[in-house]
Amino acid sequence: MADLKNNVKAEKKEQEKEKKQEKKVERLERKLWKERLKLKQKEREKENRKKANGRLDWDKLDNTANLFPVIADETMTNVYRIAVNLTEEIIPEKLEMAIEKVLEQIPLFRMRLRQGAFWYYFEENLRPFPGIREEYKVPGSYIDKHNNNQYMFRVTFYKCRINLEVFHALTDGFGGTIFLQEIIYQYLRYVHPQIKEETAGSEYPEIDKISTGIHMDREDSYVKNFKKPAKRKGSYQSGKGLVLKGEKLAPGNLGIMHGFLSVAELKKVAKEKGITINELLVGCFVYAVYKGYLNGRASKLPIRCCVPVNLRPYFDSTTMKNFFAMVSAEFKPEERENEYSFDEVMGIVHESLQKQITKEHLEEILSYNVSNQMKKILRIVPLPIKKLAIGYVYGISANATTSTVTNIGNIKMREPYRKYIDKFYVILSVSKGQNMKGTIVSYGDTLTFTISSILTDTSVQKYFFRTLKQLGVDVAVETNGFGAEE
Amino acid sequence: MKRCESCNMYIYDDTELCPMCNSVLSDVSEKDKQEVIKKYGRPAPYPDIKERSRKLAFAMKLILFIFILAGTAMIIVNAAVTPQMWWSLIAVSGLVYIYLGMRYWIRHDSGISSKLGKQILITIPLLIIIDYYTGFHKWSLTWAVPGIIILGNVIVMFLMLFYRDRWYAYLMLLLMLLVCCAVVSALMIFNLVTNNTLIYVADGITCTYLLAVIIFFGRTFRREMKRRFRV
């Protein structure tokens, strides 16, 4: 009996020894692979420099992008994250290979930011991509370009999730989504070579190239669609809005709460109320602020929720650069006997958004925003002075908005890849005056509404998801651990 | 995965309390768990990002603390021993300059050209201020500032040689040095300089350097200037 026990122990020890040996070999192989990749990257860099010899591709920043380098710092990063959760653990080497492959083909993401005497501009970045790391920072952390080989995006991974974080000066959610989609396609082709084999004989075989039909357009659609604005009574500047205040998380932290909802259930509720899903969620968010933050009380300042609108469909643009305009859903709770009901708030928000999301109104906003850039007298102001002025104007307008709720829409992935993809997430970093933000993205029947916040109080989140539940939409919640227990 | 009975929702987190209402969560059967995963997808947890030991931030705080103590000590000694000449203010200005310079170099997200340029622009007035408050013998404009301009030229030359593939990135620094030369040369008219030699040397080096760049690398120079000065 004792002998048997000893034999079993000895076997277990052998097995553990073998496992350790295997892990050691794996680690060495990975190290070797990384060294080889670094050498390859350095050789490619040398070749690129010889070819370029000062003739690098360059580009202007679009109208919106001019703001971000001025205001971005470690407390207000202007970095957004689009993430995908796959059905299996990420293999870092394959992911890095996929990013290298895709980066060669999408020049917009190969740009670095340079400072001119009057404007910032982009220039082709010949440095090698700095590689990927396991997630080590809070979502939406500052991208220090000089520690990132001058790239304005970062890719990290954790377990089954790939995170793409982009500095907003480069592109908006539209461009970020395309880049991530191509990375996913290429990564899955490397990890599952059978995808290429299975589609080899078909009409649209999967090959190691970015998808056909992607527009590599880098026009500044703001300037292209600019029309001299008619003289307007009053300005587009809003008065002060309600700012969500309270005890904050430790500096550098960001509380993330994802709510998973069924698109079918949301559609049903939205249809019953005669509104869109987007309006329903924005209205719900505004109502949650009214109930969770104001406790149903009146307020001198309105709850003003910015809703970015993708301008591409309205102006027939396919640009990869930023092209969106901000409209605001506004609700000012007046002093009265009874609290506002959800339907009342929803009605006010719906009316507010309907009035603003028309082509004419969006054209006016676009022209107003671009008009300053077009004034010759302002164009010759040196950049350091422009930065002070932009920073000052931004600082004043920061208190005009309570929050932002952005919807990057429904992400569609091609058939051979769908079984490997679980869902998508989008996270916005907070900004001055907006201590809480919401994002919406859907994939298949799952819509993920993410609330990012630097406040410790989670009443707004609680009311938001509970209200949806009361409307008949089931919710499941996931956080990053910086919630009520913090 | 657990369930919050107050909120009537499933919570994916591995936690005991609801992240929204702080109530104690109830356990969920394996069957319910699989149904929730089937409907909404798999959990995607976040790593436990603990506060990293910020060695650099601590070092900067320590330096600030030492500088404040040193500055205060110098002011007290100055007041007690030599109240007729406030040398301590110059020393404290120097400490402030060093500290702010360090903060900028370590923390600011900008390239070496920008950092060097700003460092030079801050150093020149500092030297003039020190000169002014020590009797204004004009050594700053006669020797120190031209010396810095010459040093700046040497640094730019070194950077352009070392980073041959992106040498044009340092052209703005060279232009800035040219502007500094022009300003210092203009001050000769107002007799703010006792000896013009080093100024002429600085002007000569900067102008020759720039002329060589324009003649031998004219196309790249024009291209870079077009991008930098686009209005």
Side-chain angles (χ1 to χ4, degrees), chain A residues 45 49 53-58 60-61 74 81 85-87 112 114-121 123 127 133 135-139 142-146 158-159 161 251 256-258 260-262 265 376 379-380 422-423 425 427 446 458-459 461-462 465-466 469 474-485, chain B residues 1-23 25 36-52 54 104 106-115 118 163-170 172 217 219-220 223-231:
Chain A
E45 197 189 353
R49 291 195 193 291
N53 198 21
R55 287 189 298 276
L56 294 174
D57 187 16
W58 77 285
K60 302 176 196 177
L61 268 67
E74 289 191 21
R81 174 188 280 197
N85 198 40
L86 301 181
T87 55
R112 61 175 183 147
R114 308 293 323 275
Q115 200 167 340
F118 301 101
W119 298 103
Y120 282 101
Y121 64 96
E123 191 180 74
R127 293 181 202 209
R133 277 179 73 166
E135 192 172 342
Y136 65 104
K137 282 190 174 191
V138 160
Y142 183 66
I143 296 177
D144 184 350
K145 295 171 280 303
H146 284 82
Y158 185 68
K159 293 196 191 288
R161 189 177 58 239
I256 306 292
M257 195 175 290
H258 302 295
F260 307 121
L261 314 156
S262 160
E265 287 171 13
K376 286 190 180 142
R379 281 158 72 166
I380 59 168
D422 182 49
K423 54 180 174 289
Y425 309 81
I427 300 170
T446 305
T458 52
S459 305
Q461 292 94 319
K462 179 178 79 179
F465 291 118
R466 280 189 181 184
K469 187 76 190 174
D474 274 334
V475 186
V477 166
E478 188 170 32
T479 77
N480 69 338
F482 283 105
E485 281 185 45
Chain B
M1 189 184 295
K2 295 215 169 138
R3 186 168 170 82
C4 175
E5 300 302 338
S6 302
C7 298
N8 196 14
M9 288 170 216
Y10 288 97
I11 309 293
Y12 274 63
D13 300 2
D14 181 19
T15 180
E16 296 301 318
L17 298 179
C18 175
M20 292 180 287
C21 67
N22 256 330
S23 58
L25 299 172
V36 173
I37 288 173
K38 195 177 172 189
K39 188 173 181 184
Y40 300 116
R42 295 152 180 255
Y46 284 83
D48 188 11
I49 295 165
K50 290 187 175 68
E51 184 86 23
R52 287 166 174 236
R54 296 179 165 231
Y104 183 76
I106 290 164
R107 294 190 60 173
H108 205 265
D109 180 16
S110 60
I112 195 164
S113 176
S114 181
K115 285 180 177 172
K118 281 170 187 160
Y163 296 108
R164 266 190 292 272
D165 40 7
R166 47 184 187 272
W167 65 270
Y168 51 86
Y170 306 104
M172 290 298 278
F217 305 101
R219 200 190 259 185
T220 309
R223 200 181 293 132
E224 183 68 6
M225 290 300 106
K226 196 178 162 187
R227 293 174 191 183
R228 292 281 193 170
F229 289 95
R230 174 184 65 90
V231 172

Side-chain angles (χ1 to χ4, degrees), chain A residues 459-472:
Chain A
S459 305
V460 172
Q461 292 94 319
K462 179 178 79 179
Y463 273 99
F464 177 78
F465 291 118
R466 280 189 181 184
T467 305
L468 283 169
K469 187 76 190 174
Q470 283 162 10
L471 289 170

Side-chain angles (χ1 to χ4, degrees), chain A residues 21-150:
Chain A
Q21 198 64 22
E22 273 175 25
K23 279 193 176 167
K24 197 178 179 185
V25 168
E26 251 181 60
R27 254 184 278 128
L28 284 168
E29 277 180 358
R30 208 174 279 183
K31 201 177 177 186
L32 198 64
W33 177 86
K34 277 199 167 171
E35 296 294 322
R36 272 193 230 126
L37 190 66
K38 265 190 192 162
L39 271 166
K40 246 190 189 171
Q41 282 173 346
K42 275 196 175 156
E43 277 169 23
R44 204 180 301 155
E45 197 189 353
K46 260 191 190 165
E47 275 173 35
N48 283 341
R49 291 195 193 291
K50 280 184 193 162
K51 258 192 264 173
N53 198 21
R55 287 189 298 276
L56 294 174
D57 187 16
W58 77 285
D59 206 352
K60 302 176 196 177
L61 268 67
D62 59 76
N63 176 257
T64 308
N66 283 315
L67 170 68
F68 298 116
V70 174
I71 60 171
D73 59 27
E74 289 191 21
T75 56
M76 193 165 58
T77 63
N78 290 289
V79 169
Y80 61 86
R81 174 188 280 197
I82 309 178
V84 62
N85 198 40
L86 301 181
T87 55
E88 51 202 16
E89 281 219 11
I90 303 299
I91 303 170
E93 300 84 15
K94 305 277 184 192
L95 179 58
E96 208 160 302
M97 279 166 58
I99 295 167
E100 290 273 335
K101 183 86 182 163
V102 171
L103 202 50
E104 280 169 23
Q105 301 170 77
I106 301 186
L108 177 68
F109 283 83
R110 277 203 323 268
M111 289 291 183
R112 61 175 183 147
L113 193 67
R114 308 293 323 275
Q115 200 167 340
F118 301 101
W119 298 103
Y120 282 101
Y121 64 96
F122 290 134
E123 191 180 74
E124 194 178 344
N125 188 359
L126 295 179
R127 293 181 202 209
F129 174 63
I132 59 171
R133 277 179 73 166
E134 196 176 67
E135 192 172 342
Y136 65 104
K137 282 190 174 191
V138 160
S141 294
Y142 183 66
I143 296 177
D144 184 350
K145 295 171 280 303
H146 284 82
N147 284 337
N148 199 42
N149 273 3
Q150 311 243 340

Side-chain angles (χ1 to χ4, degrees), chain A residues 225-249:
Chain A
N225 292 287
F226 168 72
K227 284 182 190 162
K228 204 170 174 186
K231 278 196 179 164
R232 201 185 125 87
K233 287 180 195 171
S235 77
Y236 281 102
Q237 286 170 353
S238 321
K240 273 190 179 175
L242 179 73
V243 172
L244 300 177
K245 293 178 185 168
E247 195 186 326
K248 291 184 181 169
L249 298 172

